[in-house]
Amino acid sequence: MGGSVRCPDPVNPTSAYPERVSAERFEKALRVVLNSVVFRSSGHDLTTAGTCTGMASRFTEPVLLGLAILAVRARVKR
Protein backbone atom coordinates (compact mmCIF):
# COMPACT_ATOMS: atom_id res chain seq x y z
CA MET A 1 0.00 0.00 0.00
CA GLY A 2 2.45 2.65 1.13
CA GLY A 3 4.51 3.92 3.98
CA SER A 4 2.96 4.69 7.28
CA VAL A 5 3.16 8.10 8.90
CA ARG A 6 4.86 8.06 12.28
CA CYS A 7 3.55 10.34 15.00
CA PRO A 8 5.82 11.22 17.90
CA ASP A 9 4.80 10.17 21.39
CA PRO A 10 3.05 12.96 23.31
CA VAL A 11 5.11 14.78 25.93
CA ASN A 12 4.25 17.41 28.51
CA PRO A 13 5.28 20.94 27.50
CA THR A 14 8.28 22.40 29.29
CA SER A 15 8.17 26.01 28.05
CA ALA A 16 5.88 28.84 29.17
CA TYR A 17 2.47 29.18 27.52
CA PRO A 18 3.20 32.44 25.62
CA GLU A 19 6.26 30.81 24.05
CA ARG A 20 4.16 27.89 22.76
CA VAL A 21 1.48 30.02 21.07
CA SER A 22 2.21 30.60 17.38
CA ALA A 23 0.38 31.07 14.10
CA GLU A 24 1.67 27.70 12.88
CA ARG A 25 0.22 25.86 15.89
CA PHE A 26 -3.07 27.77 15.55
CA GLU A 27 -3.34 26.81 11.88
CA LYS A 28 -2.64 23.17 12.67
CA ALA A 29 -5.21 23.14 15.49
CA LEU A 30 -7.81 24.81 13.27
CA ARG A 31 -7.14 22.31 10.48
CA VAL A 32 -7.52 19.36 12.87
CA VAL A 33 -10.79 20.68 14.28
CA LEU A 34 -12.29 21.50 10.88
CA ASN A 35 -11.26 18.16 9.40
CA SER A 36 -12.64 16.16 12.30
CA VAL A 37 -15.87 18.07 12.89
CA VAL A 38 -16.89 19.75 9.67
CA PHE A 39 -15.09 18.37 6.67
CA ARG A 40 -14.08 14.78 7.54
CA SER A 41 -10.50 14.51 6.34
CA SER A 42 -9.66 12.27 3.39
CA GLY A 43 -6.71 10.76 5.26
CA HIS A 44 -4.10 12.15 2.87
CA ASP A 45 -1.42 14.58 3.93
CA LEU A 46 -2.00 17.68 1.80
CA THR A 47 -0.28 21.02 1.52
CA THR A 48 -1.99 24.08 2.98
CA ALA A 49 -3.27 25.06 -0.46
CA GLY A 50 -4.57 21.54 -1.07
CA THR A 51 -6.32 21.46 2.29
CA CYS A 52 -7.96 24.83 1.67
CA THR A 53 -9.05 23.72 -1.81
CA GLY A 54 -10.55 20.53 -0.41
CA MET A 55 -12.41 22.42 2.30
CA ALA A 56 -13.71 24.99 -0.18
CA SER A 57 -14.93 22.30 -2.57
CA ARG A 58 -16.64 20.36 0.22
CA PHE A 59 -18.45 23.53 1.23
CA THR A 60 -19.42 24.78 -2.24
CA GLU A 61 -20.59 21.45 -3.70
CA PRO A 62 -23.73 21.19 -1.52
CA VAL A 63 -24.45 24.90 -2.04
CA LEU A 64 -24.25 24.52 -5.82
CA LEU A 65 -26.38 21.37 -5.69
CA GLY A 66 -29.03 23.24 -3.69
CA LEU A 67 -29.01 26.13 -6.15
CA ALA A 68 -29.37 23.69 -9.06
CA ILE A 69 -32.37 22.06 -7.36
CA LEU A 70 -33.96 25.46 -6.81
CA ALA A 71 -33.37 26.39 -10.47
CA VAL A 72 -34.99 23.17 -11.70
CA ARG A 73 -37.90 23.67 -9.30
CA ALA A 74 -38.44 27.21 -10.61
CA ARG A 75 -38.45 25.96 -14.22
CA VAL A 76 -40.89 23.13 -13.46
CA LYS A 77 -43.27 25.42 -11.58
CA ARG A 78 -43.98 27.58 -14.66
Side-chain angles (χ1 to χ4, degrees):
M1 278 261 154
S4 63
V5 177
R6 292 186 182 191
C7 293
D9 291 332
V11 295
N12 289 330
T14 57
S15 59
Y17 180 74
E19 294 172 8
R20 296 189 319 255
V21 177
S22 68
E24 179 183 339
R25 289 187 71 172
F26 177 77
E27 177 190 353
K28 184 175 181 179
L30 183 64
R31 185 183 301 181
V32 168
V33 168
L34 287 175
N35 280 336
S36 65
V37 175
V38 180
F39 295 111
R40 290 178 291 171
S41 176
S42 64
H44 298 287
D45 290 334
L46 300 175
T47 62
T48 302
T51 301
C52 292
T53 302
M55 289 180 182
S57 69
R58 288 185 190 133
F59 176 76
T60 56
E61 288 169 0
V63 171
L64 293 175
L65 181 62
L67 290 174
I69 290 171
L70 288 174
V72 168
R73 180 177 166 237
R75 296 293 280 174
V76 170
K77 253 185 165 178
R78 288 181 179 203

